[in-house]
């Protein structure tokens, strides 16, 4: 017997049929006995009728007619009887057949009365012999018989249609009668293919509202509710140390029991094609959305949620890129977001705004190299655009805006002053890209990014934990910073991109290199390849290192490697280019150890003086993704770097040599100096370009889907012509948790005393008067210097 999952109501109905079968069998036997008796009675009547017909035929020759015409009509009478006799014989054989009773049962119901009107036959025969000049009018009699036959067939059809259900019941009872001691299971097997049983089964399914047949969406069962609870409890389970893969396996095991019989049957065929993938989260989303939509429920937002988000009024989406640094400070968070804005705007599919910090004159003197300062934001914007267009070769059509910022000497970084989100107008608040989201939100006190913008993407540039561990009490500080980073990225971002696995594992994050190299470096590499094809010497110098001169940028590792293998690298000379706060200490350490290092001023990596070097050495393990390494590979040079997650992206390039031990470092340096680099293939060249980086960014940040879909349908899935709103159809514990984190962070950062205790710059809760003057802003708020509410 085929195993089938039955509902409780179906089981009760089946139990009732099994228990009462004996009563049904007794009743059926009684009906069958009555039907047999009636069939036998009908057969006896047929036998009697046969005898009467035989007597009638024998006496036909002596049929009484007037004496005057007997002699003249006798031949016609005899001929008529002869023609009638074969038909009567055939009629007699049919009624005398052994299976006559069976055929009678098939034509009439068990309670129908069986009547034979012999007088009708006799009258028909007599009427055939109408006295019209002694001639029988057979044509007239034939017409009469036809009319009677038509009326008889009409009556028979009505009677046949009326007894059709009884015939079906008798057929089933006949099958049951053949079974001597049937069990309940055998009975159900026998009925399974019958029309009557199918009708009963359909009625039971309709009563029980089985999911396979019900047009309504079935409610969530207990495993599905548990799966939903586990998935939405992600923030709490994270704190308990339960990994994401473990949670996914639990959710999948809970949903697998109902996936085939409930989920796949409760949705239409078109819907099944949507959820036909292996992503159990998408399947559960559609299941929850379909259930909630079937009830007419529409979730309008929760306690922490602001549903009045920006609604696009034009045909283009808008991307706002917010970063923590700006040119002429040559740092990754100043250069890479600038290129990202240019290449996003190049496609002309969306409007782009780049929001960079504006520093007062005193801070500019501390940050910008070569004593470069600007008296107005417009002047700095002109410098930025000229620098960019010189390198990319096309005019980038995007907007540059400024927000107030202050430079913190201890952390060597720029901290936003006031609410940074207010410098993006509401009409442009669609998609936000936060370059260094943890840095931007450490002391953010203002509107929540995910409330103002439809989608917020964070791009993690810096491994802050690695830098902090090098400071005094670094382990303790790193512990608190790690949890604060988790806090702010979860509260303010929808998606987080980590350039490499060297950063901490942040919530909602995925690892992907979304940075490219300046096209100028690729052109230098093309020039080098062309010179080598002509037989010219492309590289006339040995090895070099370039980077900001602070210990965390790899100078500590470099000095240790060269000091430990001074004899192995006898005669090896390294030129070092860089400026920074630790320049004096680094140079003193090198002189003390008598290392063959030549320190030079920092310069642009694309400078002509650097083209002749063949080997770029980068021992840093604090970088997330070293831009200088990508640039050196683009220029066709060898790169010797550590076997570290920050260099994972570069391992596929043949000119990249990675080492694990100090001895391996010596071997890789000697190998690079003794050989010539291989020219880049077109695939490798494209992989390093900003076009490829922009495509990766659009894909992994989910912006490609958002930018290509119709406005207003970003969170809907069409099923059977109806739209299921996945994101706003139901409350989410995760969103509630994230909203609570954002609210708590807003309260804490609003207190000036707590801000100062955590290392904030005094007076950064709101921008000051100088920023108001430089940026033509309204006067800043008056805040309590102690509590700052």
């Amino acid at each position: 017997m085929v195993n089938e999952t039955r509902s409780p109501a179906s089981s009760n109905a089946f139990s009732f049929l099994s228990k009462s079968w004996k009563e049904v069998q007794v009743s059926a036997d009684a009906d069958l006995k009555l039907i047999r008796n009636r069939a036998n009675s009908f057969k006896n009547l047929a036998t009697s009728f046969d005898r009467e017909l035989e007597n009638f035929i024998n006496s036909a020759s002596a049929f009484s007619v007037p004496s005057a015409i007997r002699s003249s009509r006798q031949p016609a009478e005899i001929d008529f009887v002869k023609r009638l006799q074969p038909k009567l014989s055939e009629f007699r054989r049919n009624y005398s057949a052994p299976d006559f009773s069976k055929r009678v049962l098939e034509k009439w119901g068990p309670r129908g009365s069986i009547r034979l009107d012999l007088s009708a036959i006799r009258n028909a025969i007599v009427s055939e012999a109408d006295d019209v000049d002694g001639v029988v009018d057979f044509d007239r009699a034939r017409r009469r018989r036809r009319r009677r036959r038509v009326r008889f067939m009409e009556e028979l059809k009505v009677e046949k249609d009326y007894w059709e259900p009884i015939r079906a019941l008798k057929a089933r009872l006949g099958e049951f009668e053949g079974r001597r001691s049937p069990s309940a299971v055998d009975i159900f097997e026998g009925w399974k293919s019958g029309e009557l049983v199918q009708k009963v089964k359909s009625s039971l399914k309709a009563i029980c509202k089985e999911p396979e047949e019900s047009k309504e969406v079935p409610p969530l069962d207990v495993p599905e509710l548990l799966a939903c609870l586990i998935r939405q409890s992600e923030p709490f389970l994270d704190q308990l140390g339960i990994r994401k893969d473990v949670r996914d396996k639990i959710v999948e095991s809970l949903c697998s029991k109902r996936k085939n019989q409930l989920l796949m049957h409760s949705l239409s065929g078109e819907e099944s094609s949507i959820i036909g993938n292996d992503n159990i989260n998408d399947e559960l989303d559609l299941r929850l959305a379909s259930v909630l939509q079937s009830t007419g429920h529409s979730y309008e937002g929760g306690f922490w949620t602001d549903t009045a988000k920006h609604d696009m009024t034009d045909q283009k989406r808008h991307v706002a890129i917010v970063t923590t640094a700006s040119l002429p400070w040559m740092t990754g968070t100043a250069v890479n977001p600038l290129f990202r804005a240019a290449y996003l705007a190049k496609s002309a599919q969306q409007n782009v705004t780049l929001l960079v910090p504006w520093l007062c004159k005193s801070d500019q003197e501390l940050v910008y190299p070569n004593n470069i300062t600007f008296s107005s934001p417009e002047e700095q914007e002109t410098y930025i655009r000229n620098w960019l267009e010189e390198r990319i070769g096309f005019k980038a059509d995007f907007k540059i805006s400024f927000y107030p910022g202050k430079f913190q000497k201890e952390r060597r970084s720029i901290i936003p002053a006031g609410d940074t989100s207010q410098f993006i107008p509401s009409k442009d608040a669609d998609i936000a890209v936060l370059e260094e989201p943890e840095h931007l939100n450490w002391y953010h006190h203002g509107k929540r990014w995910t409330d103002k913008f439809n989608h917020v993407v964070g791009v993690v540039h810096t491994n802050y934990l690695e830098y902090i561990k090098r400071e005094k009490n670094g382990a303790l500080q790193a512990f608190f910073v790690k949890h604060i980073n988790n806090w702010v990225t979860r509260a303010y971002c929808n998606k987080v991109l980590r350039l490499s696995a060297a950063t901490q594992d942040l919530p909602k994050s995925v690892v992907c290199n979304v940075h490219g190299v300046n096209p100028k470096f690729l052109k230098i590499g093309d020039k080098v390849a062309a010179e080598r094809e002509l037989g010219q010497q492309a590289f006339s110098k040995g090895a070099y290192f370039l980077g900001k001169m602070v210990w965390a940028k790899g100078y500590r590792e470099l000095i240790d490697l060269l000091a430990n293998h001074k004899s192995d690298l006898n005669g090896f000379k390294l030129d070092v280019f860089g400026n920074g706060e630790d320049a004096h200490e680094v140079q003193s350490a090198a002189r003390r150890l008598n290392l063959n290092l030549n320190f030079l001023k920092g310069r642009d990596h694309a400078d002509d003086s650097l083209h002749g070097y063949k080997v770029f050495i980068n021992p840093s393990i604090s970088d997330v993704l070293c831009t200088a390494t990508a640039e050196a590979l683009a220029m066709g040079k060898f790169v010797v770097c550590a076997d570290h997650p920050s260099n994972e992206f570069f391992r596929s390039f043949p000119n990249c040599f990675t080492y694990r031990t100090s001895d391996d470092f010596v071997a890789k340096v000697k190998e690079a100096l003794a050989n010539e680099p291989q020219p880049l293939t077109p695939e490798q060249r494209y992989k390093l370009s900003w076009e490829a980086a922009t495509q990766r960014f659009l894909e992994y940040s989910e912006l490609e889907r958002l930018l290509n879909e119709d406005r207003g349908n970003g969170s809907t899935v069409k099923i059977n012509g109806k739209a299921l709103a996945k994101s706003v159809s139901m409350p989410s514990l995760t969103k509630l948790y994230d909203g609570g984190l954002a609210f708590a962070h807003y309260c804490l950062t609003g207190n000036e005393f707590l801000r100062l205790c955590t290392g904030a710059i005094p007076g950064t809760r709101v921008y000051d008067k100088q920023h108001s003057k430089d940026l033509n802003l309204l006067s800043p708020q008056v805040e309590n210097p102690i509590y700052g509410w």
Side-chain angles (χ1 to χ4, degrees), residues 1-64:
M1 181 177 179
V2 179
N3 292 329
E4 295 183 356
T5 303
R6 302 185 178 89
S7 60
S10 301
S11 301
N12 293 336
F14 181 75
S15 177
F16 171 79
L17 291 174
S18 300
K19 292 180 180 180
S20 60
W21 174 247
K22 291 185 178 180
E23 297 178 3
V24 174
Q25 189 176 17
V26 172
S27 177
D29 290 341
D31 291 339
L32 288 172
K33 185 176 181 180
L34 179 61
I35 291 172
R36 290 196 197 96
N37 293 335
R38 294 196 178 188
N40 292 332
S41 176
F42 187 84
K43 189 172 183 179
N44 293 334
L45 288 175
T47 304
S48 177
F49 174 69
D50 184 71
R51 288 196 298 269
E52 291 183 14
L53 286 177
E54 186 176 359
N55 294 332
F56 173 76
I57 293 172
N58 294 332
S59 60
S61 59
F63 191 80
S64 177

Side-chain angles (χ1 to χ4, degrees), residues 531-777:
E531 290 176 354
R532 294 182 60 185
E533 289 182 0
L534 296 175
Q536 300 177 4
Q537 183 179 4
F539 303 110
S540 58
K541 302 178 183 179
Y544 73 106
F545 175 64
L546 180 144
K548 186 177 180 181
M549 199 167 292
V550 293
W551 287 114
K553 283 294 185 179
Y555 285 90
R556 174 65 65 187
E557 291 81 2
L558 178 63
I559 289 179
D560 291 342
L561 286 170
L562 296 179
N564 294 333
H565 297 277
K566 186 183 302 184
S567 59
D568 297 331
L569 294 172
N570 187 23
F572 174 70
K573 180 182 178 180
L574 182 68
D575 291 338
V576 179
F577 297 86
N579 301 320
E581 295 80 0
D582 297 334
H584 179 71
E585 296 181 10
V586 172
Q587 295 176 16
S588 299
R591 287 193 298 266
R592 186 174 60 252
L593 295 173
N594 195 23
L595 300 179
N596 195 4
L597 296 178
N598 183 27
F599 291 96
L600 302 170
K601 290 184 178 181
R603 61 194 66 181
D604 193 319
H605 205 174
D607 191 271
D608 293 339
S609 61
L610 299 177
H611 295 178
Y613 289 95
K614 184 170 64 171
V615 181
F616 174 73
I617 295 179
N618 180 22
S620 175
I621 58 174
S622 62
D623 288 322
V624 173
L625 186 81
C626 184
T627 304
T629 299
E631 294 170 348
L633 289 173
M635 289 189 288
K637 303 179 186 296
F638 276 126
V639 172
V640 178
C641 58
D643 187 2
H644 189 261
S646 61
N647 297 317
E648 180 66 31
F649 178 79
F650 306 118
R651 288 178 182 170
S652 61
F653 292 87
N655 293 337
C656 180
F657 295 161
T658 59
Y659 62 90
R660 295 186 178 182
T661 64
S662 60
D663 293 335
D664 195 17
F665 168 77
V666 175
K668 298 298 183 183
V669 169
K670 291 182 178 181
E671 181 181 358
L673 292 173
N675 295 281
E676 291 296 323
Q678 299 180 18
L680 291 176
T681 64
E683 293 77 11
Q684 294 167 354
R685 191 180 186 280
Y686 176 76
K687 188 177 181 180
L688 291 171
S689 68
W690 264 106
E691 286 85 359
T694 303
Q695 183 60 40
R696 293 192 298 265
F697 173 76
L698 292 173
E699 178 182 355
Y700 283 86
S701 65
E702 301 178 359
L703 291 188
E704 188 173 33
R705 175 180 58 82
L706 292 173
L707 295 173
N708 292 333
E709 66 190 5
D710 295 334
R711 299 194 314 273
N713 294 333
S715 59
T716 61
V717 176
K718 284 190 175 181
I719 298 175
N720 289 336
K722 297 181 179 180
L724 292 180
K726 293 172 60 177
S727 63
V728 294
S729 61
M730 64 194 132
S732 172
L733 293 180
T734 301
K735 292 182 179 179
L736 181 64
Y737 181 85
D738 295 346
L741 289 178
F743 180 76
H745 184 261
Y746 179 84
C747 294
L748 293 175
T749 55
N751 187 293
E752 185 67 14
F753 177 75
L754 294 177
R755 292 172 66 92
L756 296 176
C757 290
T758 55
I761 301 175
T764 54
R765 194 181 74 86
V766 295
Y767 50 83
D768 56 22
K769 293 181 179 180
Q770 185 61 44
H771 281 120
S772 301
K773 181 180 178 180
D774 294 343
L775 297 174
N776 297 320
L777 303 175

Side-chain angles (χ1 to χ4, degrees), residues 230 233-244 246-247 250 483 490 737:
I230 292 174
S233 301
E234 177 181 345
F236 304 101
L237 298 176
D238 278 341
Q239 300 300 326
L240 296 177
I242 300 178
R243 300 193 310 273
K244 186 177 185 302
V246 176
R247 298 195 301 266
I250 296 175
H483 288 82
R490 177 180 290 279
Y737 181 85

Side-chain angles (χ1 to χ4, degrees), residues 392-408:
I392 63 177
F394 62 88
K395 186 176 180 60
D397 184 16
F398 65 94
K399 181 181 178 182
I400 297 180
S401 298
F402 294 85
Y403 68 87
K406 290 189 176 182
F407 181 70
Q408 189 177 41

Side-chain angles (χ1 to χ4, degrees), residues 25 32 172-182:
Q25 189 176 17
L32 288 172
R172 300 282 78 75
L173 292 176
E175 295 177 7
F176 294 145
E177 186 180 10
R179 302 175 183 270
R180 293 185 175 274
S181 58

Side-chain angles (χ1 to χ4, degrees), residues 161-445:
D161 294 339
Y162 177 77
W163 288 106
E164 187 66 26
I166 303 301
R167 289 181 57 199
L169 177 62
K170 289 188 295 184
R172 300 282 78 75
L173 292 176
E175 295 177 7
F176 294 145
E177 186 180 10
R179 302 175 183 270
R180 293 185 175 274
S181 58
S183 63
V185 175
D186 295 334
I187 294 169
F188 191 79
E189 283 287 341
W191 276 26
K192 189 175 181 179
S193 60
E195 179 182 359
L196 180 62
V197 176
Q198 292 296 332
K199 293 180 179 180
V200 174
K201 193 174 181 180
S202 301
S203 301
L204 291 174
K205 289 182 178 180
I207 295 173
C208 302
K209 296 182 179 180
E210 291 187 1
E212 293 81 359
E213 302 294 337
S214 178
K215 295 181 179 179
E216 297 182 358
V217 179
L220 298 174
D221 58 7
V222 175
E224 288 175 326
L225 291 174
L226 290 176
C228 182
L229 179 62
I230 292 174
R231 196 184 62 172
Q232 295 196 17
S233 301
E234 177 181 345
F236 304 101
L237 298 176
D238 278 341
Q239 300 300 326
L240 296 177
I242 300 178
R243 300 193 310 273
K244 186 177 185 302
D245 56 342
V246 176
R247 298 195 301 266
D248 291 342
K249 289 181 180 179
I250 296 175
V251 171
E252 184 177 0
S253 63
L254 289 172
C255 294
S256 61
K257 297 180 181 179
R258 299 282 287 171
K259 179 179 178 180
N260 294 327
Q261 67 182 42
L262 180 60
L263 179 63
M264 300 302 292
H265 288 85
S266 65
L267 306 177
S268 65
E270 179 183 354
E271 198 172 346
S272 299
S273 64
I274 296 176
I275 65 174
N277 52 33
D278 296 330
N279 193 336
I280 196 67
N281 290 321
D282 288 346
E283 296 178 4
L284 189 57
D285 278 339
L286 289 176
R287 175 80 174 106
L288 294 171
S290 61
V291 170
L292 289 172
Q293 182 165 323
S294 67
T295 63
H297 172 73
S298 179
Y299 180 61
E300 300 296 339
F303 185 76
W304 313 115
T305 306
D306 181 5
T307 57
K309 290 187 177 181
H310 169 64
D311 186 16
M312 296 296 296
T313 57
D314 57 3
Q315 296 298 322
K316 282 189 176 181
R317 306 301 292 265
H318 192 100
V319 178
I321 302 175
V322 187
T323 186
T324 58
S326 176
L327 295 178
W329 190 11
M330 297 301 297
T331 184
T333 52
V335 175
N336 291 307
L338 181 61
F339 281 109
R340 194 183 329 279
Y343 281 88
L344 281 175
K346 183 180 180 181
S347 64
Q349 294 182 356
Q350 56 276 329
N351 296 321
V352 179
T353 297
L354 177 64
L355 189 62
V356 298
W358 167 258
L359 300 178
C360 297
K361 186 66 69 71
S362 58
D363 285 339
Q364 293 182 31
E365 295 173 353
L366 296 174
V367 177
Y368 299 151
N370 303 323
N371 297 322
I372 300 177
T373 58
F374 306 99
S375 59
S376 67
E378 292 78 14
E379 185 180 349
Q380 185 173 2
E381 179 180 351
T382 301
Y383 176 91
I384 294 173
R385 292 190 182 277
N386 292 337
W387 184 93
L388 177 65
E389 292 177 10
E390 181 183 352
R391 284 155 179 79
I392 63 177
F394 62 88
K395 186 176 180 60
D397 184 16
F398 65 94
K399 181 181 178 182
I400 297 180
S401 298
F402 294 85
Y403 68 87
K406 290 189 176 182
F407 181 70
Q408 189 177 41
K409 295 180 181 179
E410 295 78 9
R411 294 182 177 176
R412 300 187 181 99
S413 59
I414 298 174
I415 302 298
D419 180 9
T420 309
S421 65
Q422 69 177 332
F423 295 93
I424 298 295
S426 298
K427 64 182 181 66
D428 297 333
D430 182 20
I431 297 170
V433 179
L434 305 183
E435 309 280 350
E436 294 199 317
E438 68 278 53
H439 184 163
L440 284 169
N441 292 297
W442 279 334
Y443 303 107
H444 175 72
H445 181 71

